[in-house]
Amino acid sequence: MLASSVKLTDLCDFVENPDGSLTRNSPFPDVPPTEQITPGSKELSLSKDIPLNPNNKTFLRLFRPLNSPQNTKLPLIIYFHGGGFVLYSAATLVFHQTCSDMASHFPALVLSVDYRLAPEHRLPAAYEDAMESIKWVQKQVLDINGPSCEPWFKEYLDFSRCFLMGMSAGGNIAYHANLLALNIDIKPLKIIGLILNVPYFSAVTRTESEKRLINDPVLPLAISDRMWALSLPEDTDRDHEYCNPIVGGSLEKNKIKRLPRCFFRGYGGDPLVDKQKELVKMLESRGLDVVARFDEDGFHGVEVFDPAKAKAFYDYVKEFVYTPV
């Protein structure tokens, strides 16, 4: 199935049910992991599913390049998919393919997190699942030479080079998970970078890009507002810190200074671009090392539909991941 065959207006298709749940109408199928390569397959990475929290029905999908470099340890990308906190999963075709492509292109191990969705599980549920995934990685690293360590980690992982990464709502999750990870001891795991692709942030006050692109076909403002209403804690608005990172108190600001170097990707045709640029300026004002790549040409999630944009993005991220700190 080609993403180009999907209508942009179908990306955020859901129906609210009387019991408060959603009926989700994804234009993309879910696909199984690629545990072995079949003849004629174009997959360049192997993947496997690992239970995270059976009670929450969450899991991890781990990718490794099919042709891993000999005697070379690889960085780890912990990845969070997009979907406005209410849609999709780590098994959704486009996110499976993105992680598979990144694992082979960088190369790296990529751990895609299947987190709980709102409104059945409002924020901070997704952040809690993100933290659980980080602690799971730490547990593997602590037993890196023992019998219970994930075999691909034992063979390929450089645990001193871990990155948190996300697209859209996944970028929001990566950002908040990194802030939360500052509160706990995750040694010997080291998170050395934060990679945010068109991260999903907003506020009560409209930005110019939100006003200009109010009827954007991918992320119309009314749908974006509705997804926030379904995702944020009840009786809050878009100036809650989960949505508007500019409003954090002094404690939050002190934590922000401790974040690792950051990479941002954004596009002029994305209603969220002005808020993303605000966040870049705020992080830079706190003294962070920020690499920002904003193109006027492009829209929210354009890499799903445009292979050239996807390759440019992967090249940028590869450079960021492999730049010595």
Side-chain angles (χ1 to χ4, degrees), residues 12-318:
C12 298
D13 186 3
F14 58 85
V15 177
E16 297 177 52
N17 299 319
D19 65 357
S21 66
L22 293 186
T23 297
R24 298 169 172 88
N25 302 308
S26 172
F28 305 110
D30 283 357
V31 295
T34 308
E35 298 186 12
Q36 58 185 17
I37 299 298
T38 56
S41 171
K42 295 182 179 179
E43 290 274 1
L44 297 175
S45 300
L46 296 174
S47 53
K48 64 171 83 170
D49 285 350
I50 302 164
L52 179 60
N53 186 325
N55 291 330
N56 291 336
K57 299 179 181 177
T58 53
F59 67 90
L60 308 167
R61 182 162 291 187
L62 179 60
F63 298 79
R64 74 162 177 87
L66 184 60
N67 299 308
S68 298
Q70 289 285 326
N71 304 315
T72 301
K73 298 292 187 180
L74 300 176
L76 174 67
I77 312 286
I78 301 178
Y79 181 84
F80 305 97
H81 67 80
F85 303 107
V86 304
L87 295 167
Y88 305 128
S89 86
T92 300
L93 174 62
V94 289
F95 297 113
H96 171 92
Q97 197 59 55
T98 293
C99 292
S100 178
D101 290 347
M102 290 192 301
S104 64
H105 188 82
F106 293 162
L109 296 176
V110 179
L111 187 71
S112 185
V113 180
D114 191 72
Y115 54 85
R116 288 171 292 171
L117 299 178
E120 296 87 347
H121 305 282
R122 289 176 176 265
L123 296 174
Y127 304 154
E128 292 166 356
D129 297 341
M131 289 306 299
E132 197 165 10
S133 71
I134 292 169
K135 292 175 184 175
W136 179 87
V137 172
Q138 181 196 28
K139 183 179 178 183
Q140 306 308 304
V141 171
L142 286 170
D143 192 42
I144 198 74
N145 294 312
S148 62
C149 179
E150 160 54 45
W152 289 359
F153 279 10
K154 189 177 295 189
E155 187 170 357
Y156 300 109
L157 176 63
D158 177 356
F159 54 79
S160 69
R161 291 190 294 154
C162 177
F163 298 80
L164 301 188
M165 177 179 182
M167 173 193 175
S168 191
N172 177 301
I173 294 169
Y175 175 80
H176 284 288
N178 208 326
L179 286 173
L180 290 168
L182 297 173
N183 294 334
I184 63 171
D185 180 5
I186 60 170
K187 290 200 250 337
L189 183 67
K190 292 182 181 178
I191 298 172
I192 64 168
L194 180 58
I195 301 165
L196 307 181
N197 182 24
V198 295
Y200 189 46
F201 294 102
S202 189
V204 170
T205 302
R206 300 299 189 195
T207 65
E208 287 303 312
S209 60
E210 285 177 322
K211 294 176 189 175
R212 175 169 51 88
L213 297 164
I214 186 170
N215 294 316
D216 179 65
V218 176
L219 193 64
L221 205 55
I223 293 293
S224 180
D225 287 354
R226 191 62 203 144
M227 291 193 294
W228 280 118
L230 292 168
S231 305
L232 289 168
E234 302 228 33
D235 303 318
T236 63
D237 62 22
R238 293 189 308 279
D239 279 337
H240 190 282
E241 63 182 343
Y242 295 164
C243 178
N244 185 359
I246 312 300
V247 300
S250 58
L251 181 63
E252 193 83 351
K253 290 175 182 175
N254 287 332
K255 285 171 62 178
I256 286 169
K257 293 178 182 178
R258 296 163 52 208
L259 286 171
R261 54 197 289 267
C262 303
F263 175 88
F264 276 75
R265 182 63 162 157
Y267 300 97
D270 183 353
L272 310 181
V273 69
D274 284 355
K275 181 56 69 175
Q276 294 158 5
K277 290 179 177 179
E278 280 183 35
L279 181 54
V280 167
K281 288 181 181 178
M282 186 269 281
L283 295 176
E284 289 177 333
S285 74
R286 302 277 185 269
L288 266 66
D289 179 3
V290 180
V291 177
R293 296 281 185 263
F294 288 97
D295 283 358
E296 281 307 306
D297 176 34
F299 52 87
H300 192 80
V302 65
E303 299 94 354
V304 171
F305 299 92
D306 185 337
K309 288 289 188 187
K311 184 181 184 306
F313 173 61
Y314 298 156
D315 287 344
Y316 283 141
V317 175
K318 178 178 181 177

